[in-house]
Amino acid sequence: METSSERAPLAERVEELLAQGGPLPIVAAGDPVLRRAADPFDGQLEPGLLARFVAALRLTMRAAPGVGLAAPQVGVGLRIAVIEDPAPVPEEVRRVRGRVPQPFRVLVNPSYTPVGSGRAAFFEGCLSVPGYQAVVARPTEVRLTGQDEHGRALDEVFSGWPARIVQHETDHLDGTLYLDRAEPRSLSSQQAVADRWAQPSPERAARARGVDRP
Ligand code: ZN
Protein backbone atom coordinates (compact mmCIF):
# COMPACT_ATOMS: atom_id res chain seq x y z
CA MET A 1 0.00 0.00 0.00
CA GLU A 2 1.11 3.50 -0.74
CA THR A 3 1.22 5.88 2.15
CA SER A 4 -0.70 9.12 2.08
CA SER A 5 2.56 11.07 1.73
CA GLU A 6 3.40 9.07 -1.40
CA ARG A 7 -0.01 9.84 -2.81
CA ALA A 8 0.18 13.54 -2.18
CA PRO A 9 2.25 14.73 -5.18
CA LEU A 10 -0.24 13.52 -7.81
CA ALA A 11 -3.23 14.93 -5.94
CA GLU A 12 -1.34 18.20 -5.48
CA ARG A 13 -0.56 18.37 -9.17
CA VAL A 14 -4.22 17.84 -10.04
CA GLU A 15 -5.21 20.55 -7.53
CA GLU A 16 -2.74 22.91 -9.23
CA LEU A 17 -4.19 22.10 -12.65
CA LEU A 18 -7.73 22.73 -11.44
CA ALA A 19 -6.80 25.93 -9.63
CA GLN A 20 -6.38 27.72 -12.95
CA GLY A 21 -10.08 27.20 -13.76
CA GLY A 22 -11.54 26.76 -17.23
CA PRO A 23 -10.48 24.19 -19.82
CA LEU A 24 -7.18 22.44 -19.04
CA PRO A 25 -4.20 22.76 -21.38
CA ILE A 26 -4.04 19.73 -23.71
CA VAL A 27 -0.69 17.97 -23.99
CA ALA A 28 0.57 17.46 -27.56
CA ALA A 29 2.32 14.43 -29.08
CA GLY A 30 5.99 14.45 -28.09
CA ASP A 31 5.29 14.71 -24.36
CA PRO A 32 6.37 11.45 -22.69
CA VAL A 33 3.17 11.33 -20.61
CA LEU A 34 1.36 10.29 -23.81
CA ARG A 35 3.75 7.38 -24.31
CA ARG A 36 3.67 5.82 -20.84
CA ALA A 37 1.11 3.32 -19.65
CA ALA A 38 -1.02 5.26 -17.17
CA ASP A 39 -1.30 4.01 -13.59
CA PRO A 40 -4.49 2.16 -12.65
CA PHE A 41 -6.76 4.42 -10.62
CA ASP A 42 -7.04 3.12 -7.09
CA GLY A 43 -8.05 6.16 -5.10
CA GLN A 44 -5.03 8.39 -5.71
CA LEU A 45 -7.55 11.27 -5.88
CA GLU A 46 -10.08 11.44 -3.05
CA PRO A 47 -13.74 11.37 -4.22
CA GLY A 48 -14.26 15.14 -4.15
CA LEU A 49 -11.07 15.79 -6.10
CA LEU A 50 -11.87 13.00 -8.57
CA ALA A 51 -15.29 14.56 -9.20
CA ARG A 52 -13.71 17.97 -9.84
CA PHE A 53 -11.07 16.43 -12.10
CA VAL A 54 -13.72 14.58 -14.13
CA ALA A 55 -15.71 17.83 -14.46
CA ALA A 56 -12.58 19.57 -15.76
CA LEU A 57 -11.97 16.76 -18.28
CA ARG A 58 -15.56 17.13 -19.50
CA LEU A 59 -15.23 20.91 -19.78
CA THR A 60 -11.93 20.55 -21.67
CA MET A 61 -13.35 17.91 -24.04
CA ARG A 62 -16.39 20.06 -24.83
CA ALA A 63 -14.35 23.24 -25.29
CA ALA A 64 -11.86 21.59 -27.68
CA PRO A 65 -14.31 20.30 -29.02
CA GLY A 66 -13.72 16.57 -28.97
CA VAL A 67 -15.64 13.34 -28.39
CA GLY A 68 -13.23 11.90 -25.85
CA LEU A 69 -10.35 12.91 -23.59
CA ALA A 70 -7.95 10.77 -21.57
CA ALA A 71 -6.26 11.96 -18.37
CA PRO A 72 -2.73 11.69 -19.87
CA GLN A 73 -3.82 14.29 -22.43
CA VAL A 74 -3.90 16.83 -19.62
CA GLY A 75 -0.65 15.50 -18.19
CA VAL A 76 -2.14 13.18 -15.56
CA GLY A 77 -0.95 9.58 -15.85
CA LEU A 78 -4.05 7.83 -14.47
CA ARG A 79 -6.34 5.35 -16.24
CA ILE A 80 -9.30 7.74 -16.46
CA ALA A 81 -11.04 9.01 -19.60
CA VAL A 82 -14.27 10.74 -20.55
CA ILE A 83 -16.34 10.30 -23.71
CA GLU A 84 -19.34 12.12 -25.16
CA ASP A 85 -20.54 12.53 -28.73
CA PRO A 86 -23.68 14.49 -29.60
CA ALA A 87 -23.06 13.26 -33.20
CA PRO A 88 -24.38 16.28 -35.09
CA VAL A 89 -23.82 14.58 -38.45
CA PRO A 90 -25.88 14.00 -41.62
CA GLU A 91 -28.00 10.86 -41.76
CA GLU A 92 -25.75 9.25 -44.38
CA VAL A 93 -22.69 9.68 -42.16
CA ARG A 94 -24.62 8.31 -39.21
CA ARG A 95 -25.57 5.25 -41.23
CA VAL A 96 -22.19 4.53 -42.85
CA ARG A 97 -20.03 5.20 -39.77
CA GLY A 98 -22.50 4.08 -37.13
CA ARG A 99 -22.01 7.51 -35.58
CA VAL A 100 -24.87 7.46 -33.12
CA PRO A 101 -25.01 9.85 -30.15
CA GLN A 102 -22.94 8.70 -27.17
CA PRO A 103 -23.99 10.15 -23.80
CA PHE A 104 -21.33 11.44 -21.43
CA ARG A 105 -19.48 8.63 -19.68
CA VAL A 106 -16.50 8.30 -17.39
CA LEU A 107 -14.22 5.31 -18.00
CA VAL A 108 -12.01 4.26 -15.08
CA ASN A 109 -9.42 1.51 -15.62
CA PRO A 110 -10.99 0.53 -18.95
CA SER A 111 -9.78 -2.26 -21.19
CA TYR A 112 -11.34 -3.68 -24.33
CA THR A 113 -11.42 -6.84 -26.39
CA PRO A 114 -12.81 -7.16 -29.93
CA VAL A 115 -16.19 -8.85 -30.37
CA GLY A 116 -16.29 -10.78 -33.64
CA SER A 117 -13.96 -10.14 -36.54
CA GLY A 118 -15.58 -7.07 -38.15
CA ARG A 119 -13.31 -4.12 -38.85
CA ALA A 120 -14.03 -0.64 -40.17
CA ALA A 121 -11.62 1.97 -41.56
CA PHE A 122 -12.34 5.68 -41.21
CA PHE A 123 -10.50 8.95 -40.78
CA GLU A 124 -9.74 9.65 -37.13
CA GLY A 125 -8.09 12.55 -35.33
CA CYS A 126 -6.74 13.34 -31.86
CA LEU A 127 -6.70 16.50 -29.77
CA SER A 128 -3.05 15.74 -28.96
CA VAL A 129 -2.13 15.62 -32.68
CA PRO A 130 -3.76 18.87 -33.79
CA GLY A 131 -4.29 19.63 -37.45
CA TYR A 132 -4.19 16.10 -38.85
CA GLN A 133 -6.31 13.02 -39.45
CA ALA A 134 -5.52 9.55 -40.75
CA VAL A 135 -7.43 6.40 -41.60
CA VAL A 136 -7.48 3.80 -38.83
CA ALA A 137 -8.94 0.30 -39.20
CA ARG A 138 -10.46 -0.87 -35.92
CA PRO A 139 -12.74 -3.61 -34.68
CA THR A 140 -16.35 -2.51 -35.24
CA GLU A 141 -17.47 -3.93 -31.91
CA VAL A 142 -15.65 -4.24 -28.59
CA ARG A 143 -16.41 -5.36 -25.08
CA LEU A 144 -15.29 -2.72 -22.59
CA THR A 145 -14.68 -3.58 -18.96
CA GLY A 146 -13.55 -1.41 -16.05
CA GLN A 147 -15.33 0.90 -13.64
CA ASP A 148 -17.23 4.15 -13.68
CA GLU A 149 -16.33 7.22 -11.59
CA HIS A 150 -18.19 5.79 -8.60
CA GLY A 151 -16.28 2.51 -8.68
CA ARG A 152 -19.19 0.55 -10.13
CA ALA A 153 -18.24 -2.26 -12.49
CA LEU A 154 -18.48 -1.51 -16.19
CA ASP A 155 -18.97 -4.35 -18.68
CA GLU A 156 -20.55 -3.25 -21.90
CA VAL A 157 -20.42 -3.87 -25.65
CA PHE A 158 -19.87 -0.79 -27.82
CA SER A 159 -20.36 -0.74 -31.58
CA GLY A 160 -20.15 1.77 -34.41
CA TRP A 161 -18.50 5.12 -33.74
CA PRO A 162 -18.75 4.82 -29.93
CA ALA A 163 -16.65 1.62 -30.26
CA ARG A 164 -14.00 3.66 -32.08
CA ILE A 165 -14.08 6.35 -29.39
CA VAL A 166 -13.64 3.93 -26.47
CA GLN A 167 -10.76 2.17 -28.28
CA HIS A 168 -9.03 5.48 -29.03
CA GLU A 169 -9.32 6.67 -25.41
CA THR A 170 -8.35 3.33 -23.86
CA ASP A 171 -5.33 3.22 -26.19
CA HIS A 172 -4.24 6.59 -24.74
CA LEU A 173 -4.11 4.96 -21.31
CA ASP A 174 -1.71 2.35 -22.71
CA GLY A 175 0.57 5.01 -24.22
CA THR A 176 -0.71 4.35 -27.75
CA LEU A 177 -1.65 7.10 -30.21
CA TYR A 178 -4.02 6.53 -33.14
CA LEU A 179 -1.09 7.19 -35.49
CA ASP A 180 0.46 3.91 -34.30
CA ARG A 181 -2.53 2.09 -35.82
CA ALA A 182 -3.10 4.34 -38.84
CA GLU A 183 -2.48 3.77 -42.53
CA PRO A 184 0.56 6.07 -42.91
CA ARG A 185 -0.24 7.13 -46.49
CA SER A 186 -3.65 8.39 -45.41
CA LEU A 187 -2.24 11.16 -43.18
CA SER A 188 -4.07 14.34 -44.18
CA SER A 189 -4.40 17.85 -42.83
CA GLN A 190 -7.78 18.68 -41.29
CA GLN A 191 -8.24 21.11 -44.14
CA ALA A 192 -7.58 18.46 -46.80
CA VAL A 193 -10.01 16.08 -45.09
CA ALA A 194 -12.65 18.81 -45.06
CA ASP A 195 -11.96 19.84 -48.66
CA ARG A 196 -11.46 16.46 -50.28
CA TRP A 197 -12.39 13.53 -48.09
CA ALA A 198 -15.57 14.58 -46.37
CA GLN A 199 -17.60 11.71 -47.82
CA PRO A 200 -18.82 9.22 -45.24
CA SER A 201 -16.23 6.52 -45.96
CA PRO A 202 -12.53 6.79 -46.89
CA GLU A 203 -12.63 4.47 -49.90
CA ARG A 204 -12.12 7.23 -52.44
CA ALA A 205 -9.23 8.61 -50.40
CA ALA A 206 -7.63 5.16 -50.32
CA ARG A 207 -7.91 4.81 -54.10
CA ALA A 208 -6.43 8.28 -54.63
CA ARG A 209 -3.44 7.33 -52.48
CA GLY A 210 -2.93 4.21 -54.55
CA VAL A 211 -3.51 1.82 -51.65
CA ASP A 212 -6.22 -0.62 -50.77
CA ARG A 213 -8.44 0.14 -47.88
CA PRO A 214 -6.54 -0.71 -44.71
ZN1 ZN B 1 -6.61 11.19 -28.76
Side-chain angles (χ1 to χ4, degrees):
M1 288 293 288
E2 290 177 296
T3 66
S4 56
S5 64
E6 283 169 336
R7 289 183 172 205
L10 181 63
E12 278 169 22
R13 205 150 54 76
V14 171
E15 286 281 14
E16 280 170 23
L17 269 179
L18 300 182
Q20 298 160 28
L24 305 173
I26 295 178
V27 170
D31 190 310
V33 73
L34 292 172
R35 288 313 199 170
R36 282 196 293 266
D39 292 335
F41 179 74
D42 68 349
Q44 294 95 327
L45 311 179
E46 52 87 17
L49 181 55
L50 175 64
R52 286 191 291 129
F53 180 54
V54 163
L57 287 175
R58 181 174 58 194
L59 177 70
T60 305
M61 171 179 65
R62 288 176 174 173
V67 296
L69 188 68
Q73 292 183 275
V74 297
V76 176
L78 289 174
R79 291 187 71 86
I80 299 172
V82 295
I83 61 172
E84 181 183 48
D85 184 12
V89 294
E91 179 55 32
E92 189 192 4
V93 172
R94 177 164 301 189
R95 185 170 46 75
V96 173
R97 300 183 189 174
R99 189 162 171 191
V100 294
Q102 169 61 55
F104 177 75
R105 294 285 291 273
V106 182
L107 312 179
V108 176
N109 300 326
S111 62
Y112 67 83
T113 52
V115 175
S117 56
R119 289 174 78 80
F122 291 110
F123 274 106
E124 189 171 318
C126 178
L127 297 174
S128 293
V129 188
Y132 290 91
Q133 292 190 31
V135 174
V136 185
R138 292 187 183 275
T140 52
E141 199 165 77
V142 295
R143 178 182 178 188
L144 190 81
T145 56
Q147 294 101 45
D148 69 8
E149 69 272 40
H150 305 294
R152 291 184 293 237
L154 171 71
D155 185 348
E156 196 173 323
V157 172
F158 287 80
S159 58
W161 207 257
R164 180 169 297 267
I165 296 170
V166 299
Q167 290 173 72
H168 180 115
E169 300 311 327
T170 302
D171 285 352
H172 269 303
L173 306 177
D174 294 327
T176 296
L177 295 177
Y178 84 98
L179 290 170
D180 303 341
R181 303 190 186 281
E183 156 57 45
R185 288 177 64 87
S186 71
L187 185 68
S188 302
S189 71
Q190 299 273 25
Q191 193 60 51
V193 172
D195 290 347
R196 298 166 181 273
W197 314 125
Q199 73 276 19
S201 89
E203 284 168 347
R204 191 162 63 92
R207 283 199 302 274
R209 298 192 303 276
V211 297
D212 292 331
R213 266 183 80 160

